[in-house]
Amino acid sequence: RTDLSKQWYQRRVPITAGDYHMALSCIEHVQFKDKDMMALVPACQITANYYAGFAYLMIRKYGNTIQLYQHILGYMQRTKQFFQNRSFQADDINKKNEQMLALLAIASTFCPLRLDESVNIQIKEKQGDKVARIQHGDMAVYDDLFFSGCPKFLSPVVSENPTSPFGSSGPRGLQLQVFKAEVEQQRLIPTLRSFLKLYTSIPISKLAKFLDMHENEVRCCLMAFKHKKEKSTDCDSALIPLL
């Protein structure tokens, strides 16, 4: 039990401190299968996969987040009865389910991949109104989804001034700023994607008229779209813990 707690501590702390690459390197060789110590504790599997998925989201590997959360949410559906019989774990597991659905709603807007029907139904039930507002251009909804799904964060430094260096909202607000910077970069991509689906080829001048933008700005958006798409769909399955 001591070894398990130590391993989990090493994986969780980098994420709460905002060091997502370090967190993922800690789980690179972990496999949640067979008779592995962590595989024997379902709550540990769920929590570890939740943090791994959040780390992928923050390093813009949305395809990994979607693949991982679909897998673990399906696992939670299959083991629901197990946790209902353990009241001391049920609340925490239900909270993790809500958090993953919120983060999955974010990831699926940035990287629209086909979702399992059962997972899609859960998102529509829990976050359907917020997803609809995003589709209508309400960027403020991302803040609500992020705060609903993110873990608690730790400050990597100690300051006598509680408002410094992270502002009044602390390290949580700092991580939100990082996330919102990415949201701003992705702001026009859904609209751009919708136009590109309608045409096999289209001149930049015509696309610029549709978007009411200058041609040079459209070129920049297309390059950003290409970069974001390659990054978000780069699923490195070797880093994804398996159940």
Side-chain angles (χ1 to χ4, degrees):
R1 183 176 298 179
T2 301
D3 292 339
L4 180 60
S5 300
K6 182 178 179 181
Q7 291 179 42
W8 171 232
Y9 179 81
Q10 291 173 341
R11 288 157 177 75
R12 181 175 178 177
V13 168
I15 292 180
T16 56
D19 191 349
Y20 305 109
H21 290 280
M22 174 62 74
L24 291 172
S25 68
C26 290
I27 63 172
E28 183 175 359
H29 303 292
V30 175
Q31 297 293 319
F32 291 91
K33 61 182 181 179
D34 300 330
K35 295 184 179 180
D36 183 85
M37 185 180 298
M38 291 188 182
L40 300 177
V41 185
C44 180
Q45 296 185 49
I46 293 170
T47 307
N49 279 275
Y50 159 72
Y51 279 100
F54 181 77
Y56 283 126
L57 179 76
M58 294 301 288
I59 64 172
R60 302 188 298 277
K61 288 194 173 185
Y62 308 115
N64 293 64
T65 299
I66 293 172
Q67 181 178 349
L68 184 59
Y69 280 174
Q70 284 200 112
H71 193 56
I72 193 64
L73 286 169
Y75 171 80
M76 292 171 70
Q77 284 287 97
R78 296 193 302 270
T79 58
K80 182 184 296 185
Q81 188 62 38
F82 173 82
F83 293 107
Q84 288 178 347
N85 296 331
R86 296 172 178 239
S87 58
F88 66 95
Q89 289 184 336
D91 291 341
D92 185 57
I93 296 304
N94 289 334
K95 180 181 178 181
K96 286 292 179 287
N97 185 83
E98 299 286 338
Q99 288 177 304
M100 283 189 281
L101 289 174
L103 297 177
L104 187 56
I106 293 174
S108 60
T109 60
F110 289 159
C111 180
L113 299 178
R114 184 178 179 83
L115 298 176
D116 292 341
E117 186 63 26
S118 60
V119 174
N120 203 22
I121 291 175
Q122 290 186 67
I123 291 178
K124 289 181 179 179
E125 290 178 351
K126 302 293 185 179
Q127 307 293 346
D129 58 331
K130 294 181 180 179
V131 172
R133 287 166 59 190
I134 288 177
Q135 293 173 348
H136 286 84
D138 188 353
M139 295 292 103
V141 181
Y142 283 109
D143 294 16
D144 296 336
L145 289 173
F146 182 82
F147 280 138
S148 297
C150 73
K152 294 181 179 180
F153 295 102
L154 300 175
S155 173
V157 297
V158 178
S159 174
E160 295 181 358
N161 184 355
T163 63
S164 176
F166 303 109
S168 58
S169 56
R172 192 178 185 215
L174 179 65
Q175 296 302 316
L176 176 62
Q177 292 178 20
V178 174
F179 171 71
K180 288 180 70 174
E182 176 65 17
V183 171
E184 182 61 27
Q185 295 176 22
Q186 297 264 4
R187 182 171 56 87
L188 292 176
I189 289 181
T191 304
L192 186 62
R193 184 186 292 115
S194 65
F195 280 114
L196 295 178
K197 286 182 178 180
L198 297 175
Y199 297 88
T200 55
S201 63
I202 181 174
I204 291 181
S205 58
K206 185 175 182 179
L207 185 58
K209 291 180 180 179
F210 287 150
L211 297 173
D212 194 21
M213 297 171 60
H214 193 274
E215 290 186 20
N216 289 335
E217 293 178 329
V218 174
R219 288 190 180 92
C220 291
C221 287
L222 289 171
M223 293 300 296
F225 174 68
K226 180 180 179 181
H227 169 70
K228 298 296 184 183
K229 182 178 180 181
E230 291 176 351
K231 182 73 174 178
S232 62
T233 57
D234 180 21
C235 295
D236 187 356
S237 58
L239 292 178
I240 296 180
L242 301 176
L243 296 178

